[in-house]
């Protein structure tokens, strides 16, 4: 899609991105919580916990976003970046928005000194898997990843 513009979000953009973030969470079977989504993003952005990139088209219409969490790899003894969220609004899919966000996320991670990026997606999200593999991402065949719910804290 020609005319895709990627911008780094600030805390002032939390409400705008929060609407898409709420839809993203619903994709992963979470109940809608627009206010909670906005508050979560605003806090991450105010604290500098994450980087949110916004994809805009046309006259500044928000088409998608991604969220990166900077962290570290003890084995590599280097910074890495986790691409945790990537979502494109239904009217903008298959138009290059996700690819533009991926490329911008890689640029952002490199600029922050990351030596590697990681991401996870649902096992049945085959369209995302195709995009990631076409963009040079490789499926991890060396490690199994586990998670454990700890309850609210």
């Amino acid at each position: 899609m020609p005319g895709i513009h990627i911008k780094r979000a600030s805390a002032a953009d939390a409400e705008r991105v929060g609407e898409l973030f709420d839809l993203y969470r619903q994709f992963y079977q979470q109940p809608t919580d627009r206010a909670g989504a906005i508050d979560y993003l605003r806090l991450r952005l105010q604290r500098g916990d994450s980087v949110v990139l916004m994809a805009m088209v046309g006259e500044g219409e928000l088409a998608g976003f991604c969220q990166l969490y900077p962290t570290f790899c003890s084995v590599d003894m280097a910074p890495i970046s986790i691409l945790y969220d990537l979502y494109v609004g239904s009217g903008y899919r298959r138009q290059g928005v996700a690819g533009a966000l991926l490329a911008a996320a890689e640029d952002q991670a490199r600029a922050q000194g990351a030596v590697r990026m990681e991401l996870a997606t649902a096992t049945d999200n085959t369209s995302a898997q195709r995009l990631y593999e076409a963009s040079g991402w490789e499926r991890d065949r060396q490690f199994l990843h586990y998670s454990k719910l700890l309850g609210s804290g």
Side-chain angles (χ1 to χ4, degrees), residues 1-2 4 57 88-99:
M1 172 181 253
I4 300 171
V57 297
V88 175
S90 60
Y92 301 100
R93 293 182 185 152
R94 301 197 189 288
Q95 298 179 42
V97 175

Side-chain angles (χ1 to χ4, degrees), residues 24 27-28 65-66 83-88 98-99 101-103 106 117-122 125-139:
Y24 165 81
F27 176 81
Y28 284 104
F65 79 96
C66 68
L83 177 62
Y84 205 90
D85 312 313
L86 190 149
Y87 186 80
V88 175
L101 282 165
L102 275 178
E106 290 177 27
M117 291 180 70
E118 295 183 358
L119 65 77
T121 191
N125 192 350
T126 56
S127 61
Q129 293 168 32
R130 282 192 300 273
L131 170 66
Y132 298 143
E133 290 170 10
S135 299
W137 290 75
E138 296 179 11
R139 188 179 303 230

